[in-house]
Structure formats: C-alpha cells, structure tokens
Amino acid sequence: TPMYISNHCINRCIYCGYNIANKKIARKKLSYDEIEHEAKFISERGMKHILLLTGESPTDCSMEYICKSVDILSNHFNSIGIEIYPMDTVDYTKVISSGVTGLTVYQETYDEKVYDNVHISGPKKDFLYRLDAPERGCLAGMREVNIGALLGLSNPLLDAFYTGIHGEYL
C-alpha cells in the first residue's frame, strides 16, 4: 500500500505535477502524528506492507524525518519500502537500520537525451546518479530493490529492454 508523507519536490520535470515550478499544488508534509494516524488506519484494514513515498526534496524530507517516519511505520507493518529521492550508500544504510526493507527507483527513461530534455533542473537531472541509485541500495544491503521506466517518455520497447538489462546487472 502506498503512503505519501510529502509532496515537496525540488526538481523541475516536464511530466510531473509535483515539480517545483507548479505553484498551483498545495504542498504538504505529514506530521509524525498524521503518519501514526494514517499507519493505524491502513494497518487496521489488514495491510501488512507499506511503501513510503515522498516528492524529491531532501531539505523538506531530511534523513532524520525519513528514519523517524519509518520508526513509526514499523509499529504497524511487516515490511517498509521507500520510493523517495536517490541517496548515497551511507544514507541507504541508515534507512535500512531504521527498518526499511525495500527500495524502488524509477529511472524514468534510459534514453539519456530524452532524460536530459524532460528533467529541466534539480538533482534529478543527473542521469548517472539516478541510474546508480539502485546499485547503491544493493551495496548498502537493501533486501529488495525495484526498478522501472516511465513508459511513454521515450521508445517504450527500448526502455523495457534497458530496464531488463539494468535488472540483470543488479
């Protein structure tokens, strides 16, 4: 079950409503009490696995905030995955220590030229840093690592093929 705890983002991606240039969206970051309330509500309906999601903003969703959120969620769920901003290996190790069992990173597209064109600004513009994020998660000891492409940004057959190659590499 997905649970968004923040929609703050510092990237400017032409396909995403969360992007920093969108001034129409109401930005929200859940308090720890709100996370507890949502976790309790979801788990009482029989869900045992949660995917914690945020927009990509390490400033608004610090490592401390992520780890404390995971600590709260671990009281309600058997496994906790994250789909947040890419991190370095040390930070992946920290979230694993806090109770994270899985990582999901969408490369969006493996076509570097298209990737550059659709990511106007922000840390997400760094193609290689994002591409290497799942490997950094693996090196940190993440139990589950999921990858994918956002089909439709580029040739979907090529992106599906490169996703498979990336998975085989990992």
Side-chain angles (χ1 to χ4, degrees):
T1 302
M3 180 178 178
Y4 275 89
I5 61 171
S6 173
N7 66 357
H8 290 268
C9 191
I10 58 174
N11 293 308
R12 190 165 164 229
C13 310
I14 65 171
Y15 55 85
C16 183
Y18 281 2
N19 88 71
I20 194 168
N22 184 355
K23 303 302 181 194
K24 296 177 184 175
I25 188 172
R27 301 296 173 170
K28 173 74 174 164
K29 175 178 142 181
L30 297 183
S31 69
Y32 296 130
D33 287 340
E34 289 171 316
I35 293 169
E36 174 69 32
H37 176 78
E38 292 295 316
K40 186 176 179 187
F41 181 86
I42 294 167
S43 67
E44 285 175 349
R45 275 134 190 87
M47 303 298 154
K48 300 298 180 199
H49 311 283
I50 194 86
L51 177 63
L52 183 148
L53 296 104
T54 69
E56 293 194 17
S57 180
T59 303
D60 293 293
C61 295
S62 67
M63 184 58 50
E64 178 184 345
Y65 176 73
I66 298 293
C67 290
K68 175 65 176 169
S69 299
V70 169
D71 185 51
I72 293 166
L73 295 172
S74 67
N75 294 319
H76 300 279
F77 301 100
N78 295 335
S79 68
I80 302 166
I82 56 171
E83 189 176 325
I84 63 173
Y85 50 87
M87 298 182 287
D88 60 28
T89 306
V90 171
D91 285 340
Y92 282 130
T93 302
K94 289 177 187 174
V95 295
I96 292 167
S97 294
S98 73
V100 168
T101 57
L103 167 67
T104 299
V105 179
Y106 283 89
Q107 183 59 28
E108 316 302 12
T109 180
Y110 288 86
D111 182 324
E112 286 186 70
K113 184 175 179 180
V114 171
Y115 187 95
D116 187 60
N117 289 336
V118 299
H119 299 100
I120 307 303
S121 63
K124 197 172 190 176
K125 187 145 180 86
D126 188 337
F127 178 86
L128 292 178
Y129 188 75
R130 189 166 193 90
L131 181 67
D132 291 340
E135 183 174 7
R136 291 191 301 274
C138 289
L139 292 171
M142 193 68 70
R143 193 174 80 197
E144 302 167 7
V145 176
N146 305 292
I147 59 171
L150 183 56
L151 299 179
L153 291 179
S154 189
N155 181 321
L157 293 176
L158 284 177
D159 275 337
F161 174 76
Y162 284 118
T163 301
I165 297 295
H166 192 186
E168 179 66 23
Y169 169 76
L170 293 170

